[in-house]
Amino acid sequence: MSVLHSLRISGLRFHYSATGPAVLQIPELIVSQGQFVSLLGASGSGKSTLLRLIAGLLPPTAGHVDAHAETNSATGMVFQSPNLIPWRTARQNVLLPAELGPAPSHVSDRDVAGLFELVGLNVNDTRKRSSELSGGMQMRVALARALVLQPSMLLMDEPFAALDDLLRMQLEEDVRRIHDERSLTTVLVTHNINEAVFMSDRVLVLGGDPATIHADIDVSHLADRGRALRSDPEFHRLVDVVTNALHAAGSTVGGAPRQETSL
Amino acid sequence: MTDFRRIRTVLLECIAPVVVTLFVLAAWQFGVWASGISNIVIPSPVEVWQALVRQAPQLLEACIQTATAALVGLFGSVVFGVSCAFAFSQSRLIRSAFYPYAILLQTVPIIAIAPIVVIAVDRGFYGVALISMIISIFPIITSTTTGLLQVDSNLLELFQLNSATRWQTLWKLRLPNSLPYLISGIRIAGGAAIVGAIVGEFFVGSSLKGLGVLIERKKSGIHTDELYATVLVSTLLGITVFAIVTVAGEWILKRFFGMSLSGAGRSR
């Protein structure tokens, strides 16, 4: 059986200005449908830039970024801050993507209710504005909004960075469960090594100047992504492997000799 | 904050300015009495109060006249100012071409152009309303343009990600985002509109009975206490407009948009 590719990047190069140096260079990256991939790296290693290129929010200077390479579906995105519109209720925020675009879509009440249940929000919370919601609830609303158009790809840019540890761990488990239930292809940007290993099938370590993928570590063989995994010896071994890869990539951030990659 | 602390804070915020006012009035009264200065030069607060009571019907009529002209001017400012801001936010070319002229409206002294407007447009109510509009439009244009342009970049990315049209971004994001800015602009413009109406009335002669006409008439007489009373009413009118816009604006923002004048909806 052939594997569907949700994301295919080839010969990607990105400059912020026409005359400036390349900040990101990815010769090739293929993500299969249903994979959970984390982008890990030091600050300035190009993680968020790569995510924005995948989302289509930035145009590549050279090369191709083909999200939904063999599918035809929407992309949902969760930003670092929940990014809720303050004058809308939680429900109205969730429905926002359905109202946008040249052909707004209809989302049934049943689908919305199912979505709230999926992300762990109760009906009463849906009538509240963002100022009345806690940080964790706001992030759940943002997640529901990213899923409302039933995307095949979910992009997340350090969504849990501002949350406390308990809430972060709960949301990590919830997001991984949703990823599995909905057969999503998920790309997560994170600074947190434990989070990357816990949630992902693959961890891509970025670094260098221009930034590129330094290591591609397969962590898909880890058992069930429940709480017990956090004390699993294999989980800790993989955390060490990723940490070492991150150190190796980090030592080259901003200092690596410029490599010419054939594009 | 506990209820007791909240009440104490509110009382402190209300009582402190009142105490200052009473102290200033007492010092003024004592100063006039102790110096023996003529009430034609500086009347005492008690004499101003007596003039206010004596002239109440005339002052009320003048106040209504001026307030009406100022509100018509302010309404024109809001309609025309928001339209300009809308155009400025949609095109950098339009902004570059016309924004300097908006600044011109603010920098030209109103006292200098008021007679020109009165002569050219109308030596009556509409001339006064137009002067009021000219002086009050700049804060509306600048604050609304800022509100339309200064949108959270992450929210713009969210709209971009969902292929929002230009109209959808304007209607669902930029316009609601600009509301606190617009209301802040109206707060400033409200006071300016009153000033504009009074200045306009200086030049229309006796065809109107506004506060400006009254000030112009009283300044050359011997009833300085009545001049002071008229100035006091003019000041109170400005404060009233500011307070109404602030309270109504806060209520609208909180009730319908979950925001406040001091900032958009905050996270808990």
Side-chain angles (χ1 to χ4, degrees), chain A residues 173-219:
Chain A
E173 289 165 27
D174 289 349
V175 169
R176 179 65 206 211
R177 173 180 52 81
I178 291 165
H179 164 88
D180 292 340
E181 280 178 22
R182 295 221 158 184
S183 303
L184 295 165
T185 304
T186 305
V187 181
L188 168 77
V189 166
T190 180
H191 276 112
N192 189 308
I193 299 167
N194 283 5
E195 184 173 284
V197 175
F198 180 84
M199 296 180 79
S200 315
D201 298 315
R202 280 167 79 185
V203 179
L204 305 180
V205 179
L206 275 76
D209 183 18
T212 192
I213 296 170
H214 265 252
D216 184 347
I217 301 160
D218 182 8
V219 294

Side-chain angles (χ1 to χ4, degrees), chain B residues 19-34 44-46:
Chain B
V19 169
V20 171
T21 305
L22 290 175
F23 178 78
V24 170
L25 289 174
W28 177 5
Q29 183 72 36
F30 177 77
V32 170
W33 172 76
S44 71
V46 170

Side-chain angles (χ1 to χ4, degrees), chain A residues 52 55-57 75-77 79 81 83-88 96-97 99-102 104 129-135 138 145 149, chain B residues 152 154-165 168-169 172-174 176-177 253-259 264-268:
Chain A
R52 275 166 170 68
L57 295 171
T75 298
M77 187 160 177
F79 296 83
S81 65
N83 239 358
L84 302 183
I85 295 182
W87 54 88
R88 287 180 158 241
L96 178 70
E99 298 168 17
L100 302 178
R129 289 207 175 98
S130 59
S131 57
E132 299 169 293
L133 299 171
S134 66
Q138 287 185 26
R145 180 179 60 193
L149 295 180
Chain B
D152 185 339
N154 287 326
L155 286 176
L156 283 173
E157 281 193 340
L158 177 71
F159 273 63
Q160 190 187 341
L161 184 76
N162 288 289
S163 313
T165 61
Q168 287 168 340
T169 306
K172 292 177 186 285
L173 184 59
R174 290 190 186 277
N177 184 71
L253 284 178
K254 192 173 180 186
R255 175 75 180 78
F256 298 105
F257 295 92
M259 296 189 282
R266 285 170 298 182
S267 302
R268 231 173 22 178

Side-chain angles (χ1 to χ4, degrees), chain B residues 18-149:
Chain B
V18 172
V19 169
V20 171
T21 305
L22 290 175
F23 178 78
V24 170
L25 289 174
W28 177 5
Q29 183 72 36
F30 177 77
V32 170
W33 172 76
S35 66
I37 196 165
S38 163
N39 66 355
I40 295 174
V41 179
I42 300 178
S44 71
V46 170
E47 286 166 329
V48 173
W49 174 253
Q50 287 166 345
L52 188 73
V53 173
R54 194 170 61 242
Q55 296 281 309
Q58 192 185 4
L59 286 170
L60 183 65
E61 189 186 5
C63 191
I64 292 169
Q65 170 87 65
T66 302
T68 309
L71 287 178
V72 169
L74 184 62
F75 179 74
S77 287
V78 172
V79 171
F80 194 65
V82 170
S83 304
C84 286
F86 178 84
F88 288 171
S89 73
Q90 294 302 295
S91 159
R92 183 173 285 183
L93 180 69
I94 294 175
R95 199 159 62 244
S96 304
F98 290 99
Y99 196 71
Y101 297 102
I103 295 172
L104 201 70
L105 284 174
Q106 182 69 4
T107 49
V108 170
I110 194 70
I111 196 89
I113 59 165
I116 298 170
V117 173
V118 166
I119 292 165
V121 180
D122 175 36
R123 197 175 278 276
F125 179 83
Y126 292 106
V128 172
L130 184 61
I131 292 164
S132 179
M133 180 178 150
I134 290 169
I135 197 172
S136 62
I137 198 168
F138 186 74
I140 307 269
I141 293 176
T142 48
S143 56
T144 312
T145 304
T146 304
L148 287 166
L149 292 176

Side-chain angles (χ1 to χ4, degrees), chain A residues 4-263:
Chain A
L4 288 177
H5 297 145
S6 232
L7 171 67
R8 183 178 289 155
I9 293 175
S10 57
L12 174 67
R13 196 201 295 256
F14 181 73
H15 304 232
Y16 275 108
S17 63
T19 53
V23 292
L24 188 70
Q25 192 163 297
I26 310 283
E28 186 172 50
L29 172 66
I30 292 174
V31 176
S32 304
Q33 191 183 329
Q35 267 195 334
F36 196 124
V37 176
S38 283
L39 305 178
L40 196 67
S43 294
S45 61
K47 310 181 295 291
S48 292
T49 303
L50 178 54
L51 197 77
R52 275 166 170 68
L53 284 158
I54 295 169
L57 295 171
L58 290 173
T61 308
H64 298 282
V65 177
D66 193 3
H68 317 296
E70 291 170 27
T71 61
N72 185 18
S73 179
T75 298
M77 187 160 177
V78 182
F79 296 83
Q80 190 167 1
S81 65
N83 239 358
L84 302 183
I85 295 182
W87 54 88
R88 287 180 158 241
T89 62
R91 181 188 164 83
Q92 288 167 337
N93 266 291
V94 168
L95 288 171
L96 178 70
E99 298 168 17
L100 302 178
S105 27
H106 173 72
V107 181
S108 72
D109 287 346
R110 195 175 158 189
D111 287 346
V112 177
L115 205 52
F116 284 128
E117 194 180 335
L118 184 74
V119 299
L121 282 169
N122 71 49
V123 179
N124 291 334
D125 295 333
T126 65
R127 298 191 198 101
K128 293 177 181 169
R129 289 207 175 98
S130 59
S131 57
E132 299 169 293
L133 299 171
S134 66
M137 283 155 84
Q138 287 185 26
M139 196 45 82
R140 287 179 193 277
V141 174
L143 182 60
R145 180 179 60 193
L147 297 171
V148 71
L149 295 180
Q150 302 190 324
S152 64
M153 182 176 284
L154 179 63
L155 306 177
M156 307 179 87
D157 190 1
E158 297 185 56
F160 314 132
L163 303 178
D164 64 70
D165 284 349
L166 274 179
L167 193 56
R168 169 195 279 258
M169 285 192 283
Q170 183 59 55
L171 277 165
E172 286 168 3
E173 289 165 27
D174 289 349
V175 169
R176 179 65 206 211
R177 173 180 52 81
I178 291 165
H179 164 88
D180 292 340
E181 280 178 22
R182 295 221 158 184
S183 303
L184 295 165
T185 304
T186 305
V187 181
L188 168 77
V189 166
T190 180
H191 276 112
N192 189 308
I193 299 167
N194 283 5
E195 184 173 284
V197 175
F198 180 84
M199 296 180 79
S200 315
D201 298 315
R202 280 167 79 185
V203 179
L204 305 180
V205 179
L206 275 76
D209 183 18
T212 192
I213 296 170
H214 265 252
D216 184 347
I217 301 160
D218 182 8
V219 294
S220 60
H221 59 282
L222 282 173
D224 179 40
R225 310 295 171 127
R227 196 164 298 169
L229 180 63
R230 296 186 195 277
S231 50
D232 188 316
E234 178 61 4
F235 171 75
H236 291 289
R237 188 189 70 80
L238 286 170
V239 167
D240 285 343
V241 170
V242 174
T243 305
N244 291 335
L246 195 59
H247 277 301
S251 65
T252 65
V253 169
R258 295 283 292 273
Q259 293 177 334
E260 285 304 320
T261 308
S262 105
L263 299 175

